[in-house]
Amino acid sequence: MKDMKTTTANKTIMAATSLLLAGLLALQNSFAEQPERVGTSPWGADDQIGALNLMTPESRLAILSRIASGETYDLSVEYFVGMPSFHHLGDPGYQYWLTHTPRGTVVDNPNGLGERMNSKVSYTGDAISMYTHMGTHIDALNHFGLDGKIWNGFTSDKHLGDKGWKKTGAETIPPIIARGVMIDVAAYKGVEALTNNYRVSADDLKGALRKQGVRLAKGDVVLIRTGQARHYHEAAKYLHDYPGVSLEAVKWLVEQQGAMLLGADNLSLEAFPPERADNWVPVHTYLLAERGVMFIEQMFLEDLSRDRVYEFAFIAASLKLRGASGSPMRPIALPVVK
Amino acid sequence: MKDMKTTTANKTIMAATSLLLAGLLALQNSFAEQPERVGTSPWGADDQIGALNLMTPESRLAILSRIASGETYDLSVEYFVGMPSFHHLGDPGYQYWLTHTPRGTVVDNPNGLGERMNSKVSYTGDAISMYTHMGTHIDALNHFGLDGKIWNGFTSDKHLGDKGWKKTGAETIPPIIARGVMIDVAAYKGVEALTNNYRVSADDLKGALRKQGVRLAKGDVVLIRTGQARHYHEAAKYLHDYPGVSLEAVKWLVEQQGAMLLGADNLSLEAFPPERADNWVPVHTYLLAERGVMFIEQMFLEDLSRDRVYEFAFIAASLKLRGASGSPMRPIALPVVK
Amino acid sequence: MKDMKTTTANKTIMAATSLLLAGLLALQNSFAEQPERVGTSPWGADDQIGALNLMTPESRLAILSRIASGETYDLSVEYFVGMPSFHHLGDPGYQYWLTHTPRGTVVDNPNGLGERMNSKVSYTGDAISMYTHMGTHIDALNHFGLDGKIWNGFTSDKHLGDKGWKKTGAETIPPIIARGVMIDVAAYKGVEALTNNYRVSADDLKGALRKQGVRLAKGDVVLIRTGQARHYHEAAKYLHDYPGVSLEAVKWLVEQQGAMLLGADNLSLEAFPPERADNWVPVHTYLLAERGVMFIEQMFLEDLSRDRVYEFAFIAASLKLRGASGSPMRPIALPVVK
Amino acid sequence: MKDMKTTTANKTIMAATSLLLAGLLALQNSFAEQPERVGTSPWGADDQIGALNLMTPESRLAILSRIASGETYDLSVEYFVGMPSFHHLGDPGYQYWLTHTPRGTVVDNPNGLGERMNSKVSYTGDAISMYTHMGTHIDALNHFGLDGKIWNGFTSDKHLGDKGWKKTGAETIPPIIARGVMIDVAAYKGVEALTNNYRVSADDLKGALRKQGVRLAKGDVVLIRTGQARHYHEAAKYLHDYPGVSLEAVKWLVEQQGAMLLGADNLSLEAFPPERADNWVPVHTYLLAERGVMFIEQMFLEDLSRDRVYEFAFIAASLKLRGASGSPMRPIALPVVK
């Protein structure tokens, strides 16, 4: 029964997808005429955090004071050797290695204190190596720019050194405490995960919000669930033709709803192939370079979905990696009283 | 004037230090007679998080509901090439490198989309590599054991593979929300930073708490300020003969006060040379292996000190690095209503 | 026409392969009964280089004095991001990154000498990271052992620390100068590259040698060409079901012909699936652990094949990576007077 | 007695050094007036290997045919964790780590073949990470340029991508076989190693050559021994104020003697502080950018010195690291009949 329903749903979705694709082609042509340019910050020539300026002590307190029970949802995935990552352009995968082990230190005697000491004190040390856009992480505003510039007009010629950007690097991203809303598009569509390459539309978001009985407000952190995180432990499947959020949908979130930060549970927020012929990552450049809106990728939203938690205090603080274009974070959600 | 006062203070401290050192030698002998053994968890044979079991939804709500204003303190340092780290045993320092740059992608054309596309879409990507015990981070219970075992009796023979520990790895550490207390020992002593190799005693902690008008409670996150973070941007100074917390002081915190998690603003919580002749890291093994108490190192507590914020909601979530002996985190503090 | 010939050849090979596979199954059963144990070196309890002991100043001079013209063949492949490598068990691929660039140093001023100096002196620095078994490299004797021991009875319990093996590490491998013989099995079979999973037999080697008019001698470096290097620049193809050398063939080379060192132009010398049910890399353990014979993988033998150069002075010196299980090398061949 | 002699020698050297320094200051002023510009190759607009064009099959055969005995000298150092390297500008040191161990594979079962298989087949794998200018290595022509250009006018704007240089990368460096001459300046001066910051002059080279009874010839590989390799296993000492070769001396070697390739046993061929106020590495830019002459650093020349081997067949082949500014190599020397 369940399978049949899924199949029917799939057919419907596939039909819808065909229509959508046709629409997108038309859209693409119209988009193609709109020029893309980096945005100038309304928060001043020195601004490096864009929409995160919307956050204030008052906005933080407003949501924190509504926390219901202290129950906590972990919105992040694990880091492990073999985890999925964007590797088409040669970026390094996640590596983990041991630098010291209880047995190894007995053989090596690295501290010169001898076998007895090293047999007694069992030391384990380890190291990691990774592309900064792996696991649950935030994209910094410098990750994608337009024409050699990034958000607020900073240029690679003047502001990009060998150790990253002098402007908008991950170290500038403040800890984030805000009202969070999860839009469960997969549940709205009645599927475990959206179909391959499906692009979430603004109507999908509106429909799901209506069904969930939640309204967005300016300054929200908006998380979109595609269901793709179910495949996180099978890298090949997770990376294959994953669904994502359309340019039109993110424009609605940012321009109409005043979203401060976005997030999704797939590899790259947007889906591929790209929606514009003249831009291979139009959602990335729109958000980061044109609007100064950061977003979180590769989130884990399954528990929120299971428990139908749609509104919460969102708390996250990314590592302060100086100059970096992205940074790992482990966001949490605490359900709030309505 | 200030210099003179500092000098006087320093002399006093130096005299006190001499006395202390003599005392420590005596202490060391007495300690040496106490055997060290890994602890068995009161939370069961499967327990992997030790004292963090003290945390409940209720305990979290209790502190969250007292948040005063939404003002947020960032308790973490930055990651940058050249940052301080423990390297005496050959562990890798922090490395950051660019994998894609706006100019480089024009020359390389890695996506095959040509010069026009890559000149327009300005892509920056980067990668990092690091010892897991760098920057502000938490030590997992497997970081130090005794006699080939770690907390709760897990053994390296059965539970340590080439990709880390199957037990108590960093992925098992939950997000932490608890009452936090900062004990400003440097301020209590009237100095900017404690002197070289100074060891904070239980009496120092008691005195500082009295001065601050704060009492500890079971389940607290206790952060100890030595002032060493002032030197964070000069690796040589930060790493040189830094002050730390004595074994006797952490025993008082854990056994008498019921601390759930400790933290400090120096490299390794404890100071060197070690307090026991038969153990080169006795504070580490006491906390991690004997007591199941984790701790955070290399914190930034300067802003809390400046504003005399001693009690707060402590919120932190380390990266879920599977199997790892430590993990970076970016803790924050939100002052609470008394 | 060519295609037809290839097809016919392929059919013949496929038929032969079917027969071979049947034979291999039988063989496998018989092999399964032979126990595998690490060898004890005839060169003494301290020996760490096995068959390379066959090399002497006299043997080196013998071949060097026959060098014909000074023409040099480069037998190695390039290292580049995206190059093929064994990654099924999570090992890191090749990474290359820039640490200093002419433009970056102007922005960063890392040496503190200012913009004028850094604009004038255009500095480029870079770094690499790699699994040690990538590109053209030699397998050290510790790479594969049996039952916790390696060649000559050294044990992981006593001789393996956190920084590699105390015995037979790559730093112990001497520079190699010896008579080299290339056996062009692909040419002998009349194909550009051997078919998928094809296993070179002793008869193949004998037939090719006969055709080439070359005889092997004790102490030779024997290189076997499968033609797989043609696919080196397409990682997926190079790694897919590649042909290799059979256990029976390497036994013939080592036990009957006295080969000192082997080499081939595929990923791992041997082919997969393995020839024994109880050993996933029987050729590796036979050579390294039982016989003390090292070998070189991922060679480039195309130029030798093109010019029908079958006998030469072989010269190679691997990097002295302390403790390592393998090491990159760039072997060269200089044709000799017959 | 020996000590006294050394002391006397040292005094003499110190006196000489003072004189030299005075001279250098004068020299510096005169140099400062000479403009530095990248050279245009006499071997054509596409040339990427500069002086190595001097090598021909005939030149190789000429030296190979003079090899005396097959005795081989290894001119390279080991790679190990803690080895010396240039780290003042943040470049990564050498890292080595195990990716698979006999015990770890039993715990992890990474191949899914179970405990019995992994207990029997004892697998060791490992990985490395390093700055490309570590250990015995060659500097590629792109390592240092002038005014954004490198040897032969290639520019960073057009030829430097995110994966290194499209021109003169290490993959273009051919295997090198040539007449080698070692000039033992330390022995000539009667010391074990030259004093701190000592700069070898052209007269030193001439005097040592006279003493050794060796003449240079066009196309030679010229190796200069300072004795600094004696300190290789003490990184701090090896890196501290090491002696080097003066600009005047390398000019004599290149312009008067026609040297094809240089080498030395210290960190960076040249010594510091630099000889020109307007160039922090004048010897590097002179050789690489102006003259197209590569050189080898961090060599091991002690055995040659001990045995007074001054003339030999020099054979070396660096790893073909695509785009790289340097590459490890393990050169060997085979003494020749006079």
Side-chain angles (χ1 to χ4, degrees):
Chain A
M1 273 299 276
K2 192 188 161 196
D3 282 345
M4 265 192 67
K5 257 167 69 186
T6 310
T7 308
T8 312
N10 274 344
K11 274 185 191 157
T12 314
I13 289 167
M14 277 160 62
T17 306
S18 298
L19 279 170
L20 185 68
L21 283 175
L24 282 176
L25 278 175
L27 210 56
Q28 191 168 302
N29 293 331
S30 69
F31 275 143
E33 282 146 31
Q34 298 182 24
E36 295 164 302
R37 284 201 200 89
V38 297
T40 301
S41 175
W43 293 280
D46 287 339
D47 173 46
Q48 303 184 49
I49 62 169
L52 289 184
N53 280 293
L54 293 173
M55 189 168 50
T56 63
E58 293 71 32
S59 72
R60 288 192 288 258
L61 187 59
I63 191 68
L64 289 170
S65 63
R66 288 175 55 203
I67 289 173
S69 72
E71 200 160 352
T72 309
Y73 289 81
D74 186 341
L75 309 185
S76 75
V77 294
E78 275 185 32
Y79 288 83
F80 57 93
V81 176
M83 67 185 277
S85 73
F86 175 68
H87 53 75
H88 289 301
L89 303 186
D91 293 281
Y94 178 75
Q95 286 293 325
Y96 166 95
W97 66 93
L98 289 155
T99 58
H100 305 286
T101 64
R103 281 186 171 275
T105 48
V106 172
V107 173
D108 286 339
N109 188 22
N111 50 19
L113 299 173
E115 185 169 338
R116 194 170 156 190
M117 176 69 92
N118 286 310
S119 293
K120 177 185 173 182
V121 177
S122 297
Y123 177 22
T124 299
D126 32 26
I128 58 168
S129 173
M130 57 186 280
Y131 182 47
T132 56
H133 297 265
M134 295 190 73
T136 306
H137 70 277
I138 190 167
D139 279 10
L141 295 179
N142 61 39
H143 184 35
F144 277 100
L146 290 162
D147 302 310
K149 292 180 194 161
I150 57 169
W151 167 252
N152 214 9
F154 302 116
T155 66
S156 65
D157 281 355
K158 279 188 60 177
H159 302 289
L160 178 58
D162 291 323
K163 307 301 171 200
W165 283 85
K166 304 296 184 193
K167 298 288 179 184
T168 82
E171 80 280 14
T172 64
I173 306 173
I176 297 159
I177 300 176
R179 180 183 181 240
V181 171
M182 191 272 281
I183 308 181
D184 195 339
V185 180
Y188 170 64
K189 294 283 184 183
V191 293
E192 296 209 330
L194 298 177
T195 49
N196 283 355
N197 304 106
Y198 183 77
R199 263 183 245 274
V200 172
S201 68
D203 279 345
D204 289 339
L205 297 181
K206 290 172 196 167
L209 282 167
R210 214 177 304 122
K211 185 187 162 209
Q212 295 175 188
V214 181
R215 282 168 179 251
L216 296 178
K218 191 173 180 184
D220 279 354
V221 174
V222 182
L223 311 180
I224 296 159
R225 181 174 171 269
T226 68
Q228 190 69 4
R230 288 177 175 263
H231 307 312
Y232 190 71
H233 283 81
E234 279 176 88
K237 200 164 182 182
Y238 185 79
L239 299 172
H240 181 65
D241 282 348
Y242 50 85
V245 186
S246 72
L247 188 49
E248 174 247 356
V250 302
K251 287 191 174 190
W252 179 75
L253 287 171
V254 170
E255 296 177 30
Q256 307 296 318
Q257 303 297 310
M260 177 176 82
L261 179 72
L262 304 185
D265 59 349
N266 65 349
L267 186 78
S268 63
L269 187 67
E270 69 186 298
F272 292 92
E275 294 179 64
R276 286 181 69 128
D278 63 345
N279 188 330
W280 65 285
V281 282
V283 174
H284 276 67
T285 55
Y286 169 74
L287 288 170
L288 301 172
E290 295 189 60
R291 291 287 163 170
V293 174
M294 299 180 221
F295 48 91
I296 308 171
E297 293 166 329
Q298 303 173 41
M299 303 191 78
F300 180 79
L301 305 174
E302 298 308 289
D303 291 347
L304 288 182
S305 175
R306 181 199 59 210
D307 294 351
R308 303 185 184 195
V309 174
Y310 303 124
E311 190 187 7
F312 40 82
F314 174 92
I315 305 179
S318 52
L319 300 184
K320 293 192 284 189
L321 307 178
R322 191 183 286 175
S325 71
S327 180
M329 53 162 42
R330 186 179 178 187
I332 56 177
L334 294 121
V336 291
V337 177
K338 297 207 177 173
Chain B
M1 273 297 275
K2 192 189 160 195
D3 282 343
M4 263 193 68
K5 256 167 69 186
T6 311
T7 308
T8 312
N10 273 344
K11 273 186 191 158
T12 314
I13 289 167
M14 276 159 64
T17 306
S18 297
L19 280 171
L20 186 68
L21 282 176
L24 281 176
L25 278 175
L27 210 55
Q28 190 168 302
N29 294 331
S30 68
F31 275 142
E33 283 146 32
Q34 296 182 23
E36 295 164 303
R37 286 201 199 87
V38 297
T40 301
S41 175
W43 293 280
D46 287 339
D47 173 46
Q48 302 183 50
I49 61 169
L52 289 184
N53 280 292
L54 292 172
M55 189 169 49
T56 64
E58 292 72 33
S59 72
R60 289 192 286 258
L61 188 58
I63 191 68
L64 290 170
S65 62
R66 288 175 55 202
I67 290 173
S69 71
E71 198 160 354
T72 308
Y73 289 82
D74 186 342
L75 310 185
S76 75
V77 294
E78 274 185 35
Y79 288 83
F80 56 93
V81 176
M83 65 186 276
S85 72
F86 174 68
H87 53 74
H88 289 301
L89 304 186
D91 293 281
Y94 178 75
Q95 287 292 325
Y96 165 96
W97 65 95
L98 289 155
T99 58
H100 305 286
T101 64
R103 283 186 170 273
T105 48
V106 172
V107 173
D108 286 338
N109 189 20
N111 50 20
L113 300 172
E115 185 169 338
R116 193 170 158 192
M117 176 69 91
N118 285 310
S119 292
K120 175 184 174 182
V121 177
S122 297
Y123 178 22
T124 298
D126 33 26
I128 58 168
S129 173
M130 57 186 281
Y131 182 46
T132 56
H133 297 266
M134 296 190 72
T136 307
H137 71 277
I138 189 167
D139 279 10
L141 294 180
N142 62 38
H143 184 35
F144 277 100
L146 290 162
D147 301 312
K149 293 180 195 161
I150 56 169
W151 167 252
N152 215 7
F154 301 115
T155 65
S156 66
D157 281 356
K158 280 187 61 178
H159 302 289
L160 178 58
D162 290 323
K163 307 302 169 200
W165 283 85
K166 304 297 182 191
K167 298 289 180 184
T168 80
E171 80 279 14
T172 65
I173 305 173
I176 297 160
I177 300 177
R179 178 181 183 240
V181 171
M182 191 272 280
I183 308 181
D184 195 338
V185 180
Y188 171 64
K189 295 282 186 184
V191 293
E192 296 210 329
L194 298 177
T195 48
N196 282 356
N197 303 106
Y198 183 77
R199 262 182 246 275
V200 171
S201 67
D203 278 346
D204 288 338
L205 298 180
K206 290 173 198 169
L209 282 167
R210 213 177 304 122
K211 184 187 163 211
Q212 294 174 189
V214 181
R215 282 168 179 249
L216 296 178
K218 193 175 180 183
D220 279 355
V221 174
V222 182
L223 310 180
I224 296 159
R225 180 174 173 269
T226 68
Q228 191 68 4
R230 289 178 173 264
H231 308 312
Y232 191 71
H233 284 81
E234 279 177 90
K237 198 162 183 185
Y238 185 79
L239 298 171
H240 180 65
D241 283 347
Y242 50 85
V245 186
S246 72
L247 187 50
E248 174 248 355
V250 301
K251 286 191 176 193
W252 178 75
L253 287 170
V254 170
E255 296 176 30
Q256 306 297 316
Q257 303 297 310
M260 179 176 80
L261 179 72
L262 303 184
D265 60 350
N266 65 348
L267 185 78
S268 63
L269 187 67
E270 67 186 298
F272 291 92
E275 294 180 63
R276 285 181 69 128
D278 62 345
N279 188 331
W280 65 285
V281 281
V283 174
H284 276 68
T285 55
Y286 168 75
L287 288 170
L288 301 173
E290 295 190 59
R291 291 286 163 172
V293 174
M294 299 180 221
F295 48 90
I296 308 172
E297 293 166 329
Q298 301 172 42
M299 304 191 78
F300 179 79
L301 305 174
E302 299 307 291
D303 291 347
L304 288 182
S305 175
R306 180 198 60 210
D307 294 352
R308 303 186 185 192
V309 174
Y310 302 124
E311 190 187 6
F312 39 83
F314 174 91
I315 305 179
S318 51
L319 300 185
K320 293 192 285 190
L321 307 178
R322 191 183 286 176
S325 70
S327 180
M329 52 163 42
R330 185 178 177 188
I332 55 176
L334 294 121
V336 291
V337 178
K338 297 213 176 166
Chain C
M1 274 296 275
K2 192 189 162 196
D3 282 343
M4 263 193 68
K5 256 167 70 188
T6 309
T7 308
T8 312
N10 274 345
K11 272 185 192 159
T12 315
I13 288 167
M14 275 159 66
T17 306
S18 297
L19 278 171
L20 185 68
L21 283 174
L24 282 175
L25 278 175
L27 210 54
Q28 189 167 305
N29 293 332
S30 69
F31 276 143
E33 282 146 30
Q34 297 183 21
E36 295 165 302
R37 286 201 199 89
V38 297
T40 301
S41 175
W43 293 281
D46 287 339
D47 173 46
Q48 303 184 50
I49 62 169
L52 289 184
N53 280 293
L54 293 173
M55 190 168 48
T56 63
E58 292 72 33
S59 71
R60 289 192 287 258
L61 187 58
I63 191 68
L64 290 169
S65 63
R66 290 175 54 203
I67 290 173
S69 70
E71 198 160 354
T72 309
Y73 288 82
D74 186 341
L75 309 185
S76 75
V77 294
E78 276 185 33
Y79 288 83
F80 56 92
V81 176
M83 66 184 275
S85 73
F86 175 68
H87 54 73
H88 290 301
L89 304 185
D91 292 282
Y94 178 76
Q95 287 291 326
Y96 165 95
W97 65 94
L98 289 155
T99 58
H100 304 286
T101 65
R103 282 187 170 272
T105 48
V106 172
V107 174
D108 286 339
N109 187 21
N111 51 19
L113 299 173
E115 185 169 338
R116 192 169 159 194
M117 177 70 91
N118 286 309
S119 294
K120 175 184 174 184
V121 177
S122 298
Y123 178 21
T124 300
D126 32 27
I128 59 167
S129 172
M130 58 186 280
Y131 182 46
T132 56
H133 297 266
M134 295 191 72
T136 306
H137 70 278
I138 190 167
D139 279 11
L141 294 180
N142 62 38
H143 184 35
F144 277 100
L146 290 162
D147 302 311
K149 292 178 194 161
I150 57 170
W151 166 252
N152 214 8
F154 302 116
T155 66
S156 66
D157 281 356
K158 279 188 60 177
H159 302 290
L160 178 58
D162 290 323
K163 306 301 171 202
W165 283 86
K166 304 296 183 193
K167 298 289 178 183
T168 80
E171 79 280 14
T172 65
I173 305 173
I176 297 160
I177 300 177
R179 179 182 181 239
V181 171
M182 192 271 279
I183 308 180
D184 195 339
V185 181
Y188 170 64
K189 295 282 186 185
V191 293
E192 296 209 330
L194 298 177
T195 48
N196 284 355
N197 303 107
Y198 182 77
R199 261 182 247 275
V200 171
S201 68
D203 279 346
D204 289 339
L205 298 181
K206 289 172 197 169
L209 282 167
R210 215 176 304 122
K211 185 187 163 208
Q212 293 175 190
V214 181
R215 283 169 178 248
L216 296 178
K218 193 174 179 184
D220 278 355
V221 174
V222 182
L223 311 179
I224 296 160
R225 180 173 173 270
T226 68
Q228 190 69 4
R230 289 179 174 261
H231 308 312
Y232 191 71
H233 284 81
E234 279 177 88
K237 199 163 182 184
Y238 185 78
L239 298 172
H240 181 65
D241 283 347
Y242 50 84
V245 186
S246 72
L247 187 50
E248 174 247 355
V250 301
K251 285 190 175 190
W252 178 75
L253 287 170
V254 170
E255 296 177 29
Q256 305 297 317
Q257 303 298 309
M260 179 177 81
L261 179 72
L262 303 185
D265 60 349
N266 65 348
L267 185 77
S268 63
L269 187 66
E270 68 186 299
F272 291 92
E275 294 179 63
R276 286 181 68 128
D278 62 345
N279 189 331
W280 66 284
V281 281
V283 174
H284 276 68
T285 55
Y286 168 75
L287 288 171
L288 301 172
E290 294 189 59
R291 291 285 163 173
V293 174
M294 299 180 220
F295 48 91
I296 308 171
E297 294 166 328
Q298 302 173 42
M299 304 190 80
F300 180 77
L301 305 174
E302 298 307 291
D303 291 348
L304 288 182
S305 175
R306 181 198 60 210
D307 294 353
R308 303 188 186 191
V309 174
Y310 303 123
E311 191 188 5
F312 40 82
F314 174 93
I315 305 179
S318 51
L319 300 184
K320 293 192 284 188
L321 308 178
R322 190 183 287 177
S325 71
S327 180
M329 52 162 44
R330 184 179 180 189
I332 56 177
L334 294 121
V336 291
V337 177
K338 295 209 179 168
Chain D
M1 271 298 275
K2 194 188 159 197
D3 281 345
M4 263 194 67
K5 256 166 71 185
T6 311
T7 309
T8 311
N10 273 344
K11 273 185 191 158
T12 314
I13 289 167
M14 277 160 62
T17 306
S18 298
L19 279 170
L20 185 68
L21 283 175
L24 281 176
L25 278 175
L27 210 54
Q28 189 168 303
N29 294 332
S30 69
F31 275 142
E33 282 146 32
Q34 298 182 21
E36 295 164 301
R37 285 201 200 91
V38 297
T40 301
S41 176
W43 293 281
D46 287 338
D47 173 46
Q48 302 183 49
I49 62 169
L52 289 184
N53 281 293
L54 293 172
M55 189 168 48
T56 63
E58 293 71 33
S59 73
R60 288 191 289 259
L61 188 59
I63 191 67
L64 290 170
S65 64
R66 288 175 54 201
I67 290 174
S69 70
E71 200 161 353
T72 309
Y73 288 83
D74 185 342
L75 308 185
S76 75
V77 294
E78 275 185 35
Y79 288 84
F80 56 94
V81 176
M83 65 186 277
S85 72
F86 174 69
H87 53 74
H88 289 301
L89 304 185
D91 292 282
Y94 178 75
Q95 287 292 324
Y96 165 95
W97 65 94
L98 290 155
T99 58
H100 305 286
T101 64
R103 282 186 171 274
T105 47
V106 172
V107 173
D108 286 340
N109 189 22
N111 50 19
L113 298 173
E115 185 169 338
R116 194 171 155 190
M117 177 69 92
N118 286 311
S119 293
K120 178 185 172 182
V121 177
S122 297
Y123 178 23
T124 299
D126 32 26
I128 58 167
S129 172
M130 57 186 279
Y131 182 46
T132 57
H133 297 266
M134 295 189 73
T136 307
H137 70 277
I138 189 167
D139 279 11
L141 294 179
N142 61 39
H143 185 35
F144 277 100
L146 290 162
D147 301 311
K149 292 180 195 161
I150 57 170
W151 167 251
N152 214 9
F154 302 115
T155 65
S156 65
D157 281 356
K158 279 188 61 177
H159 302 289
L160 178 58
D162 291 321
K163 307 301 171 200
W165 283 84
K166 304 296 184 194
K167 297 290 180 185
T168 79
E171 80 279 13
T172 66
I173 305 173
I176 297 158
I177 300 177
R179 179 181 182 240
V181 171
M182 192 272 281
I183 308 181
D184 195 338
V185 181
Y188 170 65
K189 295 281 186 185
V191 293
E192 297 210 330
L194 298 176
T195 48
N196 283 355
N197 303 106
Y198 183 76
R199 263 182 246 274
V200 172
S201 67
D203 279 346
D204 289 337
L205 297 181
K206 290 173 197 167
L209 282 167
R210 214 177 305 120
K211 184 186 162 212
Q212 294 175 189
V214 181
R215 282 169 178 248
L216 296 178
K218 191 173 180 186
D220 279 353
V221 173
V222 182
L223 310 180
I224 296 159
R225 180 173 172 269
T226 68
Q228 190 70 3
R230 289 178 174 262
H231 308 312
Y232 190 71
H233 285 81
E234 279 177 89
K237 199 162 182 184
Y238 185 78
L239 300 171
H240 181 66
D241 283 347
Y242 50 84
V245 186
S246 72
L247 188 49
E248 174 247 357
V250 302
K251 287 191 175 192
W252 178 76
L253 287 171
V254 169
E255 296 176 30
Q256 307 297 316
Q257 304 297 311
M260 177 178 81
L261 179 73
L262 304 184
D265 59 349
N266 65 347
L267 186 78
S268 63
L269 188 67
E270 69 186 297
F272 291 92
E275 293 180 63
R276 285 181 70 128
D278 62 345
N279 188 329
W280 65 284
V281 282
V283 174
H284 276 67
T285 55
Y286 168 74
L287 288 170
L288 301 173
E290 295 189 60
R291 291 287 163 170
V293 174
M294 299 180 220
F295 48 91
I296 309 172
E297 293 166 329
Q298 302 172 43
M299 304 191 79
F300 179 79
L301 305 174
E302 299 308 290
D303 291 348
L304 288 182
S305 175
R306 181 199 57 209
D307 294 351
R308 304 186 182 193
V309 175
Y310 303 124
E311 190 187 7
F312 39 82
F314 174 92
I315 305 179
S318 51
L319 300 184
K320 293 192 285 189
L321 307 179
R322 191 183 287 174
S325 70
S327 180
M329 54 163 40
R330 184 179 178 186
I332 56 177
L334 294 121
V336 291
V337 177
K338 295 206 179 171

